[in-house]
Amino acid sequence: MGELHSGGCHCGHIRYQFSGALQDIAHCHCSICRKVSGGIVTTWITVPTANFQWLAATPARYDSSDSCARYFCPRCGAQLALVTLLSPESIDVTIATLDHPELAPAERHIWTDSQLPWLHLDEHLPGEAEETL
């Protein structure tokens, strides 16, 4: 099964876990992530859907675009994950909701064309104007 990682929302209503290495982690600068999270950047880990499971309760779903469904806690509003039709075999999980986010540093930036010009974050990491799948 490999490494096991868990996380959940702020209020504890939603819990999840996944197995596998902490890799494929990216800071996303897209305007949609900013609007739905209220933050200036969202950091995601991409996990094979087969390695991921919701443990406690069912998150609410919000379709933020024609190809992207986002999952969040209906009680506290914490953004937890997203699934895109462009890559249905994987789920992206917010690093901030992991029980141990300190173990999951970002490896790259995505959607840098949308990056706020005054934000300077992990500038040594490579960046992609849009996300490549």
Side-chain angles (χ1 to χ4, degrees), residues 14 58-62 70-74 80:
I14 305 286
T58 301
R61 176 183 167 145
Y62 170 65
R70 292 169 185 266
Y71 296 90
F72 63 96
C73 176
L80 300 163

Side-chain angles (χ1 to χ4, degrees), residues 39-97:
I40 56 175
V41 66
T42 302
T43 306
W44 300 97
I45 183 169
T46 301
V47 176
T49 306
N51 295 3
F52 179 89
Q53 64 180 329
W54 298 108
L55 298 175
T58 301
R61 176 183 167 145
Y62 170 65
D63 293 335
S64 60
S65 71
D66 291 340
S67 64
C68 185
R70 292 169 185 266
Y71 296 90
F72 63 96
C73 176
R75 290 186 183 172
C76 69
Q79 182 178 201
L80 300 163
L82 72 77
V83 174
T84 176
L85 295 177
L86 303 174
S87 185
E89 70 288 342
S90 64
I91 184 169
D92 293 338
V93 179
T94 53
I95 290 297
T97 62

Side-chain angles (χ1 to χ4, degrees), residues 105-129:
E107 302 165 346
R108 61 192 170 101
H109 294 268
I110 54 176
W111 295 101
T112 58
D113 278 356
S114 300
Q115 184 172 342
L116 296 170
W118 46 261
L119 178 63
H120 302 281
L121 174 68
D122 287 340
E123 293 175 337
H124 64 284
L125 298 176
E128 302 166 19

